[in-house]
Amino acid sequence: MSSSRLDPSLFRDAMRASGEALPLPKKLSYALLFGADWRYSMLGYAYLRCVDDMVDEEQDEATSLELMAEQRGFMDAAYEGTLEQEDVVAPARYGLPFFAWDRERGAPLRAQFEAFLDTMEFDISRRGRVPSASELDDYVLTTGRAFLRCLAYFSTGKQELPDPCLDLGSRAYLCADALMDLEADLAVGLINIPPEVIEEYAIDLEEPEAGLKRWRPVRAAEVLEVFRQARATIPLIDNLSLRLLYRHYLRRKKRRFLRFLRQRGLDHVIR
């Protein structure tokens, strides 16, 4: 399925469903960063966002896992080419054109989307449980590497990011998100704090604010150091457009993270 055959009304529906606003400047920047097929990157995002929202709304673990199994079955059928657009409903109707587009190119992004589903299933299974530090790091790397590999593919095709960029970029981006979303995640049973930290800072998961107040500046400084290390890997990227894209996404996330720290009165952490 080529970009010329992408249904404009379907694309608009997908953007509305995923909550993604696309003013003209953003459209132009996406076209510049990702080329003529940038709308397919947004369809893939819309599919994942809607699946994630659907699972978040379902609190029963068994039902959530059934929903994920249905999405895996849908993905298999989409890559086999056995589905038509009229056969599916949202969120699959947003994913089907993306998977058809990817299939025509040899399915270079299939493994990354399977990795995204893996991390959603991990989120389902860990609700209310304190994961180990290694589990949390694996989660960050699985999600972040998949995200950055998708960006690299849309930006350059076959050009890969070096492993240090993948790993440090993933940790900077997603550890910043985890700290900014900490209270919201705790409220739904997603605990992004390893047990040794909970013990060291006496964090009461029922009433966590006192412990989080002690830990948050320490964690913020650690995350800022990871941003510094990630930025230091930029010269490893040979491709100019990919280097600019990687720098752009790090800078954008760090800017948002610094704004969060200032709002929380943590200016002293910023070096």
Side-chain angles (χ1 to χ4, degrees), residues 39-255:
R39 288 178 178 82
Y40 283 96
S41 71
M42 298 307 300
L43 273 184
Y45 164 79
Y47 167 73
L48 290 172
R49 176 66 181 269
C50 291
V51 171
D52 194 43
D53 289 346
M54 180 176 66
V55 170
D56 284 347
E57 291 170 4
E58 177 54 64
Q59 294 302 306
D60 180 69
E61 180 176 338
T63 303
S64 295
L65 292 173
E66 286 177 9
L67 292 171
M68 294 306 301
E70 289 173 4
Q71 294 309 310
R72 293 212 184 254
F74 155 68
M75 188 182 294
D76 288 342
Y79 276 105
E80 289 165 5
T82 60
L83 295 174
E84 297 294 336
Q85 195 66 32
E86 57 267 23
D87 297 332
V88 295
V89 296
R93 67 188 300 262
Y94 310 139
L96 187 58
F98 172 82
F99 295 132
W101 176 89
D102 190 44
R103 185 183 69 243
E104 287 184 356
R105 287 153 181 77
L109 298 179
R110 180 172 184 172
Q112 313 315 323
F113 272 67
E114 289 174 343
F116 287 130
L117 296 187
D118 288 344
T119 59
M120 290 183 197
E121 289 179 348
F122 175 71
D123 275 343
I124 293 168
S125 66
R126 74 185 180 104
R127 289 172 183 166
R129 179 175 71 83
V130 179
S132 68
S134 62
E135 283 181 300
L136 289 172
D137 193 51
D138 286 346
Y139 172 81
V140 163
L141 292 179
T142 299
T143 308
R145 287 168 180 164
F147 171 70
L148 290 171
R149 283 172 175 147
C150 286
L151 290 183
Y153 181 80
F154 272 99
S155 175
T156 66
K158 295 182 179 180
Q159 183 75 28
E160 281 274 351
L161 280 165
D163 286 345
C165 298
L166 286 172
D167 291 355
L168 288 166
S170 296
R171 289 185 174 114
Y173 201 95
L174 289 165
C175 290
D177 273 345
L179 195 57
M180 289 188 288
D181 297 338
L182 193 59
E183 285 87 354
D185 285 341
L186 285 172
V188 296
L190 294 178
I191 304 167
N192 291 309
I193 315 171
E196 56 269 27
V197 169
I198 290 173
E199 181 178 359
E200 180 178 356
Y201 291 90
I203 299 172
D204 180 350
L205 294 177
E206 296 298 322
E207 296 183 10
E209 187 49 41
L212 294 183
K213 187 176 181 179
R214 292 186 289 270
W215 177 62
R216 191 180 284 114
V218 176
R219 183 56 175 165
E222 293 172 349
V223 173
L224 287 173
E225 173 60 18
V226 179
F227 271 107
R228 187 196 66 77
Q229 294 173 6
R231 183 176 174 80
T233 66
I234 291 174
L236 300 176
I237 306 171
D238 295 329
N239 184 280
L240 177 59
S241 61
L242 187 54
R243 188 185 311 155
L244 292 173
L245 180 64
Y246 183 74
R247 185 197 301 269
H248 166 73
Y249 272 85
L250 283 178
R251 182 187 295 131
R252 189 175 74 167
K253 181 60 66 173
K254 185 177 179 182
R255 188 184 305 126

